[in-house]
Amino acid sequence: MATGSRTLWKGAITFGLVHIPVGLHTASTEQGVDFDWLDKRSMDPVGYKRINKRTGKEITKENIVKGVQYEDGKYVIVSPDEIEAVFPKTTQTIEIERFIDAGAMPFIFLERPYYVAPINKSEKVYALLREALVDTGKIALAKVVIATKQHLAALVPSGPALVLNLLRWGDEVKTLDALDLPAAGRKNISAAEMKMAKQLVAEMSGDWDPADFKDEFRHQVMKLVDKKVKAGKTETVIQPEEEAPEAANVVDLTALLQRSLKGGRKPAGKAPSASAAAKKPAAKKASAGKKTTAKKSTPAKKAA
C-alpha cells in the first residue's frame, strides 16, 4: 500500500466478541481514457439536465418522483420516506458471518478490492486474524455497508495485508443453463491432442507480473495527449472543487478478543447473539467516502 493512502471508510471487523478497528483504502484505479463533454465555444463543462423524454422540456427537481418498473410500461412510485425506511443501517462494521475454504470462491463473484489496514492500535489482533486465515486456508464472508449500500464481501489474506473484495450477490451472477457448452471430461479429446495442448501451455507459461500487461488504447491516446501538450494545443477548463470527507472514529476494543478466547465464540455462519451484540458499543456513523461538490457548479457529462 502506498504511503499516505487516503482512508475511504473507517469501521471495524467483527466476529463473535472480536472487534478489530480498521480503515479501507482503495486497491485499484480506473485507468481507462476519461473523455469529458465540453462546450467548444467556451470550454465550459457540459452537465446533465432533467428532461421530460416525451415533451423534451426541462423540469424542476420538485416535479421528479422515483418509480420502479415491475412490468413493461408499468411503475410503482416509491416516496423518499419509504426509500429511507428500507436503507441498510450504517453500522461501520465488516461483520464476518462465515469462514469458507479459499478455493471455494469462484472468481466470477469478485467485483472490487479494498485494502484493509489496522487503526487505533489494533495491529496485533489484525495480524492474528490474517495469520489464522493463512494457516487454515480460509477466507471470511462478511457483510458491510458502504455509502448506504449493503455489500457481500470476502476478507482475504494477501501478503501482509487483508483485502476486502466486494462480491456480487448470488442472484446477480447468471447461470450456465442458457449456454451450449461441451460436457466436462475428455470424452471427445484424443491423447495426442491433449499432449500437444499441454506442451503449448508449458511453452507459454511464466510468472505473474502485472507490469507485463498494459491498456494499449489508453497508452496510445495519452501519447497523443502528451504530443499536443508539448505543442501548446491545450484548453483551460474550470472544474468544480471537491471538499475533503470528514473522518470517523471507532473505539479500540481489542480487549474483547481476550474475552472471546475465553469462551465468547459464536457458531460459524450464525449472526451474533443478542447478548454479544449488546456488549458491542455503538460505532459512530461515518461520513467518510461521501463527496460534496461546490454549490452552483455543474459536473461535466461523460462521453459514452
Side-chain angles (χ1 to χ4, degrees):
M1 195 187 317
T3 302
S5 175
R6 184 169 67 90
T7 303
L8 302 177
W9 179 95
K10 286 184 180 181
I13 299 171
T14 65
F15 59 106
L17 296 179
V18 180
H19 186 97
I20 311 173
V22 295
L24 290 189
H25 301 255
T26 182
S28 61
T29 59
E30 297 292 338
Q31 295 291 348
V33 180
D34 191 12
F35 293 107
D36 289 336
W37 284 4
L38 306 172
D39 186 331
K40 70 178 183 179
R41 300 165 298 179
S42 60
M43 287 298 115
D44 292 326
V46 176
Y48 293 93
K49 283 189 175 182
R50 300 178 179 92
I51 300 295
N52 183 314
K53 291 183 178 181
R54 184 178 62 83
T55 65
K57 295 181 179 180
E58 186 175 356
I59 60 176
T60 63
K61 181 179 179 180
E62 291 73 21
N63 287 322
I64 295 177
V65 295
K66 293 184 177 180
V68 178
Q69 182 174 250
Y70 67 95
E71 287 183 6
D72 188 21
K74 295 186 178 296
Y75 286 78
V76 169
I77 305 303
V78 185
S79 71
D81 289 341
E82 290 172 324
I83 294 174
E84 184 177 356
V86 296
F87 260 156
K89 304 303 179 185
T90 302
T91 60
Q92 294 306 116
T93 58
I94 301 169
E95 187 166 353
I96 295 176
E97 300 204 339
R98 187 175 303 170
F99 294 96
I100 65 171
D101 292 336
M105 172 62 63
F107 289 140
I108 194 171
F109 283 89
L110 302 180
E111 187 168 23
R112 177 171 302 200
Y114 291 91
Y115 290 126
V116 181
I119 59 175
N120 298 346
K121 299 180 181 180
S122 64
E123 290 82 0
K124 185 174 182 179
V125 192
Y126 177 97
L128 179 58
L129 174 59
R130 180 192 64 204
E131 297 307 313
L133 293 175
V134 171
D135 287 354
T136 58
K138 301 285 188 179
I139 62 176
L141 292 181
K143 288 183 179 179
V144 58
V145 176
I146 301 176
T148 72
K149 184 177 181 181
Q150 186 180 58
H151 300 271
L152 180 65
L155 195 61
V156 183
S158 179
L162 286 171
V163 175
L164 186 77
N165 204 313
L166 302 186
L167 304 176
R168 297 176 176 88
W169 296 99
D171 56 3
E172 292 179 334
V173 176
K174 295 182 178 180
T175 67
L176 302 176
D177 298 341
L179 303 180
D180 185 13
L181 303 173
R186 306 181 183 181
K187 183 178 180 180
N188 298 320
I189 302 174
S190 69
E193 290 169 334
M194 179 58 68
K195 181 179 179 180
M196 288 187 291
K198 287 183 176 179
Q199 183 179 350
L200 179 59
V201 170
E203 291 176 355
M204 296 181 65
S205 295
D207 295 330
W208 161 243
D209 185 355
D212 290 340
F213 305 93
K214 296 179 174 64
D215 182 347
E216 296 299 334
F217 172 73
R218 174 178 174 271
H219 280 271
Q220 291 300 321
V221 172
M222 295 314 296
K223 279 185 179 179
L224 176 61
V225 170
D226 290 340
K227 183 178 179 180
K228 290 195 172 189
V229 169
K230 291 176 181 178
K233 298 179 179 180
T234 63
E235 302 289 349
T236 300
V237 178
I238 300 176
Q239 296 289 353
E241 295 182 359
E242 296 180 349
E243 297 179 2
E246 298 177 1
N249 296 319
V250 179
V251 179
D252 179 16
L253 296 178
T254 54
L256 285 180
L257 175 66
Q258 297 174 349
R259 293 168 57 186
S260 295
L261 294 176
K262 293 179 181 179
R265 302 182 189 129
K266 72 184 180 79
K270 296 183 178 179
S273 64
S275 60
K279 295 178 183 178
K280 299 179 185 178
K284 297 180 180 180
K285 294 187 178 180
S287 58
K290 296 183 179 179
K291 297 181 179 179
T292 304
T293 55
K295 294 182 179 180
K296 298 183 180 179
S297 57
T298 307
K301 185 173 182 180
K302 306 293 182 185

Short mmCIF file of all heavy atoms in Angstrom, two decimals, residues 150-185:
data_model
loop_
_atom_site.label_atom_id
_atom_site.label_comp_id
_atom_site.label_asym_id
_atom_site.label_seq_id
_atom_site.Cartn_x
_atom_site.Cartn_y
_atom_site.Cartn_z
N GLN A 150 -25.52 -1.91 1.04
CA GLN A 150 -25.02 -3.12 1.67
C GLN A 150 -24.33 -4.01 0.64
O GLN A 150 -24.81 -4.19 -0.47
CB GLN A 150 -26.15 -3.89 2.35
CG GLN A 150 -25.66 -5.09 3.16
CD GLN A 150 -26.80 -5.84 3.82
OE1 GLN A 150 -27.70 -6.31 3.15
NE2 GLN A 150 -26.77 -5.94 5.14
N HIS A 151 -23.19 -4.57 1.03
CA HIS A 151 -22.42 -5.44 0.15
C HIS A 151 -22.12 -6.76 0.84
O HIS A 151 -21.90 -6.81 2.06
CB HIS A 151 -21.08 -4.80 -0.22
CG HIS A 151 -21.20 -3.49 -0.93
ND1 HIS A 151 -21.29 -3.40 -2.31
CD2 HIS A 151 -21.24 -2.22 -0.46
CE1 HIS A 151 -21.37 -2.12 -2.65
NE2 HIS A 151 -21.35 -1.39 -1.55
N LEU A 152 -22.07 -7.81 0.04
CA LEU A 152 -21.45 -9.06 0.47
C LEU A 152 -19.98 -8.94 0.12
O LEU A 152 -19.63 -8.37 -0.92
CB LEU A 152 -22.07 -10.25 -0.27
CG LEU A 152 -21.53 -11.63 0.07
CD1 LEU A 152 -21.83 -11.98 1.52
CD2 LEU A 152 -22.10 -12.68 -0.88
N ALA A 153 -19.09 -9.43 0.98
CA ALA A 153 -17.67 -9.24 0.73
C ALA A 153 -16.88 -10.44 1.23
O ALA A 153 -17.34 -11.21 2.08
CB ALA A 153 -17.18 -7.97 1.43
N ALA A 154 -15.69 -10.61 0.66
CA ALA A 154 -14.76 -11.65 1.09
C ALA A 154 -13.53 -10.98 1.68
O ALA A 154 -12.94 -10.08 1.06
CB ALA A 154 -14.37 -12.53 -0.09
N LEU A 155 -13.15 -11.38 2.88
CA LEU A 155 -11.95 -10.87 3.54
C LEU A 155 -10.85 -11.90 3.31
O LEU A 155 -10.94 -13.04 3.78
CB LEU A 155 -12.23 -10.67 5.02
CG LEU A 155 -11.24 -9.81 5.82
CD1 LEU A 155 -11.20 -8.39 5.27
CD2 LEU A 155 -11.62 -9.79 7.29
N VAL A 156 -9.82 -11.50 2.55
CA VAL A 156 -8.82 -12.44 2.05
C VAL A 156 -7.42 -11.99 2.47
O VAL A 156 -7.07 -10.82 2.27
CB VAL A 156 -8.88 -12.53 0.51
CG1 VAL A 156 -7.90 -13.56 -0.02
CG2 VAL A 156 -10.30 -12.85 0.05
N PRO A 157 -6.59 -12.90 3.04
CA PRO A 157 -5.21 -12.52 3.33
C PRO A 157 -4.40 -12.44 2.05
O PRO A 157 -4.51 -13.30 1.17
CB PRO A 157 -4.72 -13.66 4.24
CG PRO A 157 -5.56 -14.84 3.85
CD PRO A 157 -6.90 -14.28 3.46
N SER A 158 -3.58 -11.39 1.91
CA SER A 158 -2.75 -11.21 0.73
C SER A 158 -1.42 -10.61 1.17
O SER A 158 -1.31 -9.40 1.34
CB SER A 158 -3.44 -10.30 -0.29
OG SER A 158 -2.63 -10.11 -1.44
N GLY A 159 -0.40 -11.46 1.39
CA GLY A 159 0.87 -10.99 1.92
C GLY A 159 0.66 -10.41 3.31
O GLY A 159 -0.01 -11.03 4.15
N PRO A 160 1.15 -9.20 3.57
CA PRO A 160 0.98 -8.61 4.91
C PRO A 160 -0.39 -7.97 5.12
O PRO A 160 -0.69 -7.51 6.21
CB PRO A 160 2.08 -7.54 4.95
CG PRO A 160 2.24 -7.14 3.52
CD PRO A 160 2.02 -8.39 2.71
N ALA A 161 -1.21 -7.94 4.07
CA ALA A 161 -2.49 -7.21 4.15
C ALA A 161 -3.68 -8.15 4.16
O ALA A 161 -3.61 -9.31 3.73
CB ALA A 161 -2.62 -6.26 2.97
N LEU A 162 -4.78 -7.63 4.67
CA LEU A 162 -6.09 -8.24 4.46
C LEU A 162 -6.78 -7.42 3.37
O LEU A 162 -6.73 -6.19 3.39
CB LEU A 162 -6.92 -8.19 5.74
CG LEU A 162 -6.53 -9.18 6.85
CD1 LEU A 162 -7.30 -8.87 8.13
CD2 LEU A 162 -6.79 -10.62 6.41
N VAL A 163 -7.37 -8.10 2.42
CA VAL A 163 -8.06 -7.43 1.32
C VAL A 163 -9.55 -7.72 1.43
O VAL A 163 -9.95 -8.88 1.57
CB VAL A 163 -7.53 -7.90 -0.05
CG1 VAL A 163 -8.35 -7.30 -1.18
CG2 VAL A 163 -6.06 -7.53 -0.21
N LEU A 164 -10.35 -6.68 1.40
CA LEU A 164 -11.81 -6.84 1.39
C LEU A 164 -12.26 -6.71 -0.05
O LEU A 164 -12.17 -5.64 -0.65
CB LEU A 164 -12.48 -5.76 2.24
CG LEU A 164 -14.00 -5.94 2.41
CD1 LEU A 164 -14.29 -7.03 3.42
CD2 LEU A 164 -14.66 -4.63 2.84
N ASN A 165 -12.74 -7.81 -0.64
CA ASN A 165 -13.19 -7.78 -2.02
C ASN A 165 -14.70 -7.83 -2.04
O ASN A 165 -15.31 -8.81 -1.60
CB ASN A 165 -12.61 -8.96 -2.81
CG ASN A 165 -12.55 -8.68 -4.29
OD1 ASN A 165 -13.53 -8.20 -4.87
ND2 ASN A 165 -11.42 -8.96 -4.92
N LEU A 166 -15.32 -6.74 -2.51
CA LEU A 166 -16.78 -6.73 -2.62
C LEU A 166 -17.20 -7.78 -3.63
O LEU A 166 -16.56 -7.97 -4.66
CB LEU A 166 -17.28 -5.35 -3.06
CG LEU A 166 -16.89 -4.17 -2.16
CD1 LEU A 166 -17.59 -2.90 -2.63
CD2 LEU A 166 -17.20 -4.44 -0.70
N LEU A 167 -18.29 -8.47 -3.32
CA LEU A 167 -18.76 -9.58 -4.16
C LEU A 167 -20.09 -9.25 -4.80
O LEU A 167 -20.86 -8.43 -4.29
CB LEU A 167 -18.91 -10.86 -3.31
CG LEU A 167 -17.69 -11.33 -2.54
CD1 LEU A 167 -18.08 -12.55 -1.68
CD2 LEU A 167 -16.55 -11.69 -3.47
N ARG A 168 -20.35 -9.90 -5.90
CA ARG A 168 -21.69 -9.84 -6.49
C ARG A 168 -22.60 -10.75 -5.67
O ARG A 168 -22.19 -11.81 -5.21
CB ARG A 168 -21.66 -10.29 -7.95
CG ARG A 168 -20.82 -9.38 -8.84
CD ARG A 168 -20.73 -9.91 -10.27
NE ARG A 168 -20.01 -8.97 -11.13
CZ ARG A 168 -18.71 -8.97 -11.31
NH1 ARG A 168 -17.96 -9.87 -10.68
NH2 ARG A 168 -18.13 -8.10 -12.11
N TRP A 169 -23.85 -10.34 -5.49
CA TRP A 169 -24.82 -11.19 -4.81
C TRP A 169 -25.12 -12.41 -5.68
O TRP A 169 -24.94 -12.37 -6.90
CB TRP A 169 -26.10 -10.42 -4.52
CG TRP A 169 -25.92 -9.28 -3.57
CD1 TRP A 169 -25.78 -7.96 -3.88
CD2 TRP A 169 -25.83 -9.36 -2.14
NE1 TRP A 169 -25.62 -7.21 -2.74
CE2 TRP A 169 -25.65 -8.03 -1.65
CE3 TRP A 169 -25.89 -10.41 -1.22
CZ2 TRP A 169 -25.52 -7.74 -0.30
CZ3 TRP A 169 -25.76 -10.11 0.13
CH2 TRP A 169 -25.59 -8.80 0.58
N GLY A 170 -25.58 -13.47 -5.06
CA GLY A 170 -25.83 -14.71 -5.78
C GLY A 170 -26.77 -14.54 -6.96
O GLY A 170 -26.56 -15.15 -8.02
N ASP A 171 -27.82 -13.71 -6.83
CA ASP A 171 -28.78 -13.55 -7.92
C ASP A 171 -28.30 -12.57 -8.99
O ASP A 171 -29.00 -12.29 -9.95
CB ASP A 171 -30.15 -13.13 -7.40
CG ASP A 171 -30.10 -11.85 -6.56
OD1 ASP A 171 -28.99 -11.26 -6.44
OD2 ASP A 171 -31.14 -11.45 -6.03
N GLU A 172 -27.08 -12.02 -8.82
CA GLU A 172 -26.51 -11.14 -9.84
C GLU A 172 -25.62 -11.89 -10.82
O GLU A 172 -25.17 -11.32 -11.81
CB GLU A 172 -25.69 -10.03 -9.17
CG GLU A 172 -26.55 -9.04 -8.38
CD GLU A 172 -25.72 -7.96 -7.70
OE1 GLU A 172 -24.53 -8.21 -7.42
OE2 GLU A 172 -26.27 -6.86 -7.47
N VAL A 173 -25.32 -13.14 -10.52
CA VAL A 173 -24.48 -13.95 -11.40
C VAL A 173 -25.36 -14.92 -12.18
O VAL A 173 -26.10 -15.71 -11.59
CB VAL A 173 -23.42 -14.72 -10.60
CG1 VAL A 173 -22.61 -15.64 -11.50
CG2 VAL A 173 -22.50 -13.75 -9.87
N LYS A 174 -25.29 -14.86 -13.50
CA LYS A 174 -26.12 -15.71 -14.34
C LYS A 174 -25.65 -17.16 -14.29
O LYS A 174 -24.47 -17.44 -14.13
CB LYS A 174 -26.10 -15.20 -15.79
CG LYS A 174 -26.73 -13.84 -15.97
CD LYS A 174 -26.73 -13.42 -17.45
CE LYS A 174 -27.40 -12.08 -17.65
NZ LYS A 174 -27.42 -11.67 -19.08
N THR A 175 -26.60 -18.07 -14.47
CA THR A 175 -26.26 -19.49 -14.51
C THR A 175 -25.75 -19.86 -15.90
O THR A 175 -25.83 -19.07 -16.85
CB THR A 175 -27.48 -20.35 -14.17
OG1 THR A 175 -28.46 -20.21 -15.23
CG2 THR A 175 -28.10 -19.93 -12.84
N LEU A 176 -25.26 -21.08 -16.03
CA LEU A 176 -24.74 -21.56 -17.32
C LEU A 176 -25.82 -22.24 -18.16
O LEU A 176 -25.53 -22.75 -19.25
CB LEU A 176 -23.60 -22.56 -17.06
CG LEU A 176 -22.40 -22.04 -16.26
CD1 LEU A 176 -21.42 -23.17 -16.01
CD2 LEU A 176 -21.73 -20.90 -16.99
N ASP A 177 -27.05 -22.25 -17.66
CA ASP A 177 -28.11 -23.03 -18.31
C ASP A 177 -28.34 -22.64 -19.77
O ASP A 177 -28.66 -23.49 -20.60
CB ASP A 177 -29.42 -22.89 -17.52
CG ASP A 177 -29.29 -23.43 -16.10
OD1 ASP A 177 -28.34 -24.21 -15.87
OD2 ASP A 177 -30.12 -23.07 -15.25
N ALA A 178 -28.19 -21.36 -20.09
CA ALA A 178 -28.51 -20.90 -21.45
C ALA A 178 -27.35 -21.09 -22.43
O ALA A 178 -27.49 -20.79 -23.61
CB ALA A 178 -28.91 -19.42 -21.41
N LEU A 179 -26.21 -21.59 -21.94
CA LEU A 179 -25.04 -21.73 -22.80
C LEU A 179 -24.91 -23.16 -23.31
O LEU A 179 -25.15 -24.13 -22.58
CB LEU A 179 -23.77 -21.35 -22.04
CG LEU A 179 -23.73 -19.93 -21.45
CD1 LEU A 179 -22.42 -19.70 -20.72
CD2 LEU A 179 -23.93 -18.89 -22.55
N ASP A 180 -24.52 -23.28 -24.57
CA ASP A 180 -24.30 -24.59 -25.18
C ASP A 180 -22.83 -24.96 -25.00
O ASP A 180 -21.97 -24.59 -25.82
CB ASP A 180 -24.66 -24.56 -26.67
CG ASP A 180 -24.57 -25.93 -27.33
OD1 ASP A 180 -24.47 -26.93 -26.57
OD2 ASP A 180 -24.57 -25.99 -28.57
N LEU A 181 -22.50 -25.64 -23.91
CA LEU A 181 -21.13 -25.95 -23.55
C LEU A 181 -20.84 -27.44 -23.72
O LEU A 181 -21.73 -28.28 -23.49
CB LEU A 181 -20.85 -25.55 -22.10
CG LEU A 181 -21.09 -24.08 -21.74
CD1 LEU A 181 -20.93 -23.86 -20.25
CD2 LEU A 181 -20.14 -23.18 -22.53
N PRO A 182 -19.62 -27.80 -24.09
CA PRO A 182 -19.27 -29.22 -24.16
C PRO A 182 -19.26 -29.82 -22.77
O PRO A 182 -18.94 -29.14 -21.78
CB PRO A 182 -17.86 -29.20 -24.77
CG PRO A 182 -17.31 -27.85 -24.46
CD PRO A 182 -18.48 -26.93 -24.47
N ALA A 183 -19.61 -31.08 -22.67
CA ALA A 183 -19.66 -31.75 -21.37
C ALA A 183 -18.27 -31.81 -20.76
O ALA A 183 -17.25 -31.88 -21.46
CB ALA A 183 -20.22 -33.16 -21.54
N ALA A 184 -18.21 -31.75 -19.42
CA ALA A 184 -16.93 -31.83 -18.73
C ALA A 184 -16.31 -33.20 -18.97
O ALA A 184 -17.00 -34.21 -19.10
CB ALA A 184 -17.13 -31.59 -17.24
N GLY A 185 -14.99 -33.24 -19.04
CA GLY A 185 -14.30 -34.51 -19.26
C GLY A 185 -13.62 -34.54 -20.62
O GLY A 185 -13.73 -33.61 -21.42
#
